[in-house]
mmCIF file with all atom_site columns, all heavy atoms in Angstrom:
data_model
loop_
_atom_site.group_PDB
_atom_site.id
_atom_site.type_symbol
_atom_site.label_atom_id
_atom_site.label_alt_id
_atom_site.label_comp_id
_atom_site.label_asym_id
_atom_site.label_entity_id
_atom_site.label_seq_id
_atom_site.pdbx_PDB_ins_code
_atom_site.Cartn_x
_atom_site.Cartn_y
_atom_site.Cartn_z
_atom_site.occupancy
_atom_site.B_iso_or_equiv
_atom_site.pdbx_formal_charge
_atom_site.auth_seq_id
_atom_site.auth_comp_id
_atom_site.auth_asym_id
_atom_site.auth_atom_id
_atom_site.pdbx_PDB_model_num
ATOM 1  N N   . LEU A 1 482 ? 19.298 0.731  33.107 1.00 96.00 ? 482 LEU A N   1
ATOM 2  C CA  . LEU A 1 482 ? 18.231 -0.277 33.123 1.00 96.00 ? 482 LEU A CA  1
ATOM 3  C C   . LEU A 1 482 ? 18.456 -1.292 34.228 1.00 96.00 ? 482 LEU A C   1
ATOM 4  O O   . LEU A 1 482 ? 19.557 -1.787 34.432 1.00 96.00 ? 482 LEU A O   1
ATOM 5  C CB  . LEU A 1 482 ? 18.204 -1.024 31.776 1.00 96.00 ? 482 LEU A CB  1
ATOM 6  C CG  . LEU A 1 482 ? 17.276 -2.246 31.730 1.00 96.00 ? 482 LEU A CG  1
ATOM 7  C CD1 . LEU A 1 482 ? 15.814 -1.822 31.785 1.00 96.00 ? 482 LEU A CD1 1
ATOM 8  C CD2 . LEU A 1 482 ? 17.533 -3.101 30.500 1.00 96.00 ? 482 LEU A CD2 1
ATOM 9  N N   . SER A 1 483 ? 17.372 -1.583 34.937 1.00 96.00 ? 483 SER A N   1
ATOM 10 C CA  . SER A 1 483 ? 17.429 -2.697 35.886 1.00 96.00 ? 483 SER A CA  1
ATOM 11 C C   . SER A 1 483 ? 16.053 -3.353 35.926 1.00 96.00 ? 483 SER A C   1
ATOM 12 O O   . SER A 1 483 ? 15.089 -2.845 35.375 1.00 96.00 ? 483 SER A O   1
ATOM 13 C CB  . SER A 1 483 ? 17.846 -2.212 37.277 1.00 96.00 ? 483 SER A CB  1
ATOM 14 O OG  . SER A 1 483 ? 16.751 -2.194 38.153 1.00 96.00 ? 483 SER A OG  1
ATOM 15 N N   . HIS A 1 484 ? 15.981 -4.505 36.597 1.00 97.00 ? 484 HIS A N   1
ATOM 16 C CA  . HIS A 1 484 ? 14.704 -5.223 36.703 1.00 97.00 ? 484 HIS A CA  1
ATOM 17 C C   . HIS A 1 484 ? 13.834 -4.649 37.804 1.00 97.00 ? 484 HIS A C   1
ATOM 18 O O   . HIS A 1 484 ? 12.664 -5.006 37.942 1.00 97.00 ? 484 HIS A O   1
ATOM 19 C CB  . HIS A 1 484 ? 14.997 -6.697 37.019 1.00 97.00 ? 484 HIS A CB  1
ATOM 20 C CG  . HIS A 1 484 ? 15.666 -6.862 38.356 1.00 97.00 ? 484 HIS A CG  1
ATOM 21 N ND1 . HIS A 1 484 ? 17.005 -6.636 38.553 1.00 97.00 ? 484 HIS A ND1 1
ATOM 22 C CD2 . HIS A 1 484 ? 15.167 -7.177 39.571 1.00 97.00 ? 484 HIS A CD2 1
ATOM 23 C CE1 . HIS A 1 484 ? 17.319 -6.820 39.830 1.00 97.00 ? 484 HIS A CE1 1
ATOM 24 N NE2 . HIS A 1 484 ? 16.212 -7.146 40.465 1.00 97.00 ? 484 HIS A NE2 1
ATOM 25 N N   . GLU A 1 485 ? 14.411 -3.754 38.620 1.00 98.00 ? 485 GLU A N   1
ATOM 26 C CA  . GLU A 1 485 ? 13.758 -3.419 39.891 1.00 98.00 ? 485 GLU A CA  1
ATOM 27 C C   . GLU A 1 485 ? 12.394 -2.746 39.765 1.00 98.00 ? 485 GLU A C   1
ATOM 28 O O   . GLU A 1 485 ? 11.432 -3.125 40.428 1.00 98.00 ? 485 GLU A O   1
ATOM 29 C CB  . GLU A 1 485 ? 14.687 -2.546 40.734 1.00 98.00 ? 485 GLU A CB  1
ATOM 30 C CG  . GLU A 1 485 ? 15.877 -3.347 41.251 1.00 98.00 ? 485 GLU A CG  1
ATOM 31 C CD  . GLU A 1 485 ? 16.940 -2.446 41.877 1.00 98.00 ? 485 GLU A CD  1
ATOM 32 O OE1 . GLU A 1 485 ? 16.633 -1.276 42.173 1.00 98.00 ? 485 GLU A OE1 1
ATOM 33 O OE2 . GLU A 1 485 ? 18.071 -2.918 42.041 1.00 98.00 ? 485 GLU A OE2 1
ATOM 34 N N   . ALA A 1 486 ? 12.332 -1.705 38.908 1.00 98.00 ? 486 ALA A N   1
ATOM 35 C CA  . ALA A 1 486 ? 11.064 -0.987 38.779 1.00 98.00 ? 486 ALA A CA  1
ATOM 36 C C   . ALA A 1 486 ? 9.972  -1.930 38.301 1.00 98.00 ? 486 ALA A C   1
ATOM 37 O O   . ALA A 1 486 ? 8.832  -1.882 38.786 1.00 98.00 ? 486 ALA A O   1
ATOM 38 C CB  . ALA A 1 486 ? 11.210 0.197  37.822 1.00 98.00 ? 486 ALA A CB  1
ATOM 39 N N   . PHE A 1 487 ? 10.317 -2.807 37.366 1.00 98.00 ? 487 PHE A N   1
ATOM 40 C CA  . PHE A 1 487 ? 9.310  -3.723 36.836 1.00 98.00 ? 487 PHE A CA  1
ATOM 41 C C   . PHE A 1 487 ? 8.817  -4.673 37.915 1.00 98.00 ? 487 PHE A C   1
ATOM 42 O O   . PHE A 1 487 ? 7.620  -4.906 38.062 1.00 98.00 ? 487 PHE A O   1
ATOM 43 C CB  . PHE A 1 487 ? 9.848  -4.523 35.639 1.00 98.00 ? 487 PHE A CB  1
ATOM 44 C CG  . PHE A 1 487 ? 8.822  -5.459 35.068 1.00 98.00 ? 487 PHE A CG  1
ATOM 45 C CD1 . PHE A 1 487 ? 7.803  -4.992 34.255 1.00 98.00 ? 487 PHE A CD1 1
ATOM 46 C CD2 . PHE A 1 487 ? 8.844  -6.819 35.387 1.00 98.00 ? 487 PHE A CD2 1
ATOM 47 C CE1 . PHE A 1 487 ? 6.832  -5.853 33.756 1.00 98.00 ? 487 PHE A CE1 1
ATOM 48 C CE2 . PHE A 1 487 ? 7.870  -7.682 34.894 1.00 98.00 ? 487 PHE A CE2 1
ATOM 49 C CZ  . PHE A 1 487 ? 6.859  -7.197 34.078 1.00 98.00 ? 487 PHE A CZ  1
#
Side-chain angles (χ1 to χ4, degrees):
Chain A
L482 171 69
S483 106
H484 64 281
E485 290 170 16
F487 181 77

